[in-house]
Amino acid sequence: MFGSFCYLKLLTSLDKISCLEFFLIIHKHLMLSVKASDKVLWLKNLSFRTFIPIMLNLEEPSVIDKLSRFCGDKVKLFSSNPCVIRESGTGTGHCWLEGSSLHPSNSSNYEYTEEAYPWRRQMKNVSRGDFFNCTPASMSRKHRVFGSVPDTCYLPDRSYSSHCNDKCTRDNKLLRSIPEYVQIVEVGPRDGLQNEKEIVPTAVKVQLIKLLVSSGLPIVEATSFVSPKRVPQLADAKDVMEAIRTVEGARFPVLTPNLKGFEAAVAAGAKEVAIFASASESFSKSNINCSIEDSLIRYRDVAVAARKLSIPVRGYISCVVGCPEEGVVSPSKVAYVAKELHDMGCYEISLGDTIGVGTPGTVVPMLEDVIDVVPIDNLAVHFHDTYGQALSNILASLQMGITTVDSSVSGLGGCPYAKGATGNVATEDVVYMLNGLGVKTNVDLGKLLSAGDFICQHLGRKSGSKTAIALSRIRFPASKL
């Protein structure tokens, strides 16, 4: 049954009744049938901001009376035109919910404008509990609500978007140090898929890369020329490179563990390579089967060969704050390896929290040590989200001047040699956060979501991106994001 709703916008603090008593009044009237037009209650003196749907029945106006009695002149009633349900007539299952909405004006008053809102009958229902959990950050002033109380469905009339005007960042003393543009390095096709047990077909990997490029990502790490025995998932590296040879709009670096891997990559058409060292001695031996010093000797050979062919080399350092075997990793060790990679010619060094144990409290000291020996413009960060700290670590890094961030679509990833390490931070989540900070990425979030949906459907699992999950529940068209 469709009904009209009242909304309570709670702003400061209840001083005449307790919150519990207030909600008991509302709860009593939630089950009343709806026979009235939309109303908006604006309570000015409540301590928090939220929206609550309550049913208004003309036959029982006591709910308004009781609220007015408790809150006095703090309740202002705004009336809108009755909602009208109209079939679209197209036979597609669309309907229109017509009514009025509130728009903030330049003054303290609100102006009303007539609008028509489309909705789909197929939209999944949102439980009343879910509705109560909604916050103002996730709800717009203009909104649609329909359905009976047990199966209320709330639909914002606009797509969720975290886009922020640049001014909101520049004028905030805590955010003004954040760069205006951040380059995202997508590592999903390589780092994201390398830990998958079931072999992903080459055609699927290639399509994923193409979808990622179409979203505007400037760098997509395509594959790795490592031993197929070590990483079977990437045994088709040559075929992948052949298939994307004509793809334009992005760079496609590939991982090369040694000179042999470098030569194979060049033969396959690679125009950029990456090498990977570790700040942990134990992890270096388990991951690449040699000590840190031996790995640096190998990479010097790769760097020399790359320089002769004018091929850029990117460096990775794993376990920059913690190791699955050694525990805490000293920032000085990270700084040492970073300087060695920079001195041998790596144009950029990506600092990786391989097992995702870092927090801003450990990431910042590490970055401070590294910045002392390597220019910050030559550094990037690479965070796994094992403990849910990746976005906070990225934000802290941006505040320190980092402008390049690695991420993986749908949060895919994990290291075969780091037990307990979960996926990389999701590219969708990074883009959403950066949009909210007013930071440019040139990435189309809608197209990025499509790429994530594609690979997740193939893998048969839900996305590891909170942004993707949230937006999929609302089912907004990607083109509006």
Side-chain angles (χ1 to χ4, degrees), residues 409-410 412 451-464:
V409 64
S410 297
L412 297 176
D453 185 58
F454 166 78
I455 191 61
C456 286
Q457 285 189 21
H458 175 80
L459 297 175
R461 70 169 70 116
K462 71 176 184 179
S463 175

Side-chain angles (χ1 to χ4, degrees), residues 281 289-299:
E281 197 69 56
N289 202 29
C290 67
S291 67
I292 293 175
E293 288 301 326
D294 287 342
S295 70
L296 293 175
I297 292 173
R298 291 183 187 178
Y299 297 143

Side-chain angles (χ1 to χ4, degrees), residues 49-107:
R49 295 175 61 92
T50 186
F51 288 85
I52 302 167
I54 64 173
M55 309 294 288
L56 179 62
N57 190 328
L58 289 180
E59 296 176 354
E60 204 175 306
S62 58
V63 62
I64 300 298
D65 296 338
K66 290 178 180 178
L67 289 174
S68 298
R69 185 169 72 253
F70 281 120
C71 304
D73 59 357
K74 297 165 188 171
V75 179
K76 291 187 178 180
L77 185 63
F78 294 86
S79 177
S80 63
N81 291 336
C83 293
V84 179
I85 308 300
R86 174 168 57 83
E87 295 286 349
S88 65
T90 61
T92 59
H94 285 83
C95 291
W96 294 87
L97 180 60
E98 295 182 340
S100 299
S101 61
L102 292 175
H103 293 272
S105 63
N106 294 331
S107 67

Side-chain angles (χ1 to χ4, degrees), residues 211-267:
L211 289 172
L212 292 169
V213 172
S214 71
S215 74
L217 287 162
I219 304 174
V220 179
E221 193 178 56
T223 186
S224 176
F225 285 82
V226 297
S227 169
K229 294 180 180 179
R230 299 281 286 179
V231 188
Q233 183 64 251
L234 303 179
D236 60 350
K238 181 179 178 181
D239 296 331
V240 169
M241 293 303 294
E242 177 63 29
I244 64 173
R245 188 183 293 270
T246 59
V247 177
E248 298 181 348
R251 291 152 46 196
F252 303 107
V254 298
L255 213 61
T256 55
N258 48 40
L259 191 57
K260 181 179 179 180
F262 171 79
E263 292 170 347
V266 172

Side-chain angles (χ1 to χ4, degrees), residues 5-74:
F5 281 73
C6 287
Y7 281 85
L8 301 176
K9 187 170 184 180
L10 312 182
L11 301 179
T12 52
S13 74
L14 279 172
D15 55 354
K16 296 193 178 182
I17 58 170
S18 68
C19 289
L20 176 59
E21 189 176 7
F22 178 76
F23 282 108
L24 285 176
I25 294 172
I26 292 175
H27 183 267
K28 174 181 177 182
H29 293 273
L30 274 172
M31 302 307 296
L32 299 176
S33 61
V34 180
K35 296 182 180 179
S37 58
D38 285 359
K39 305 291 179 182
V40 177
L41 296 179
W42 186 291
L43 304 187
K44 284 188 172 180
N45 238 357
L46 305 177
S47 62
F48 50 91
R49 295 175 61 92
T50 186
F51 288 85
I52 302 167
I54 64 173
M55 309 294 288
L56 179 62
N57 190 328
L58 289 180
E59 296 176 354
E60 204 175 306
S62 58
V63 62
I64 300 298
D65 296 338
K66 290 178 180 178
L67 289 174
S68 298
R69 185 169 72 253
F70 281 120
C71 304
D73 59 357
K74 297 165 188 171

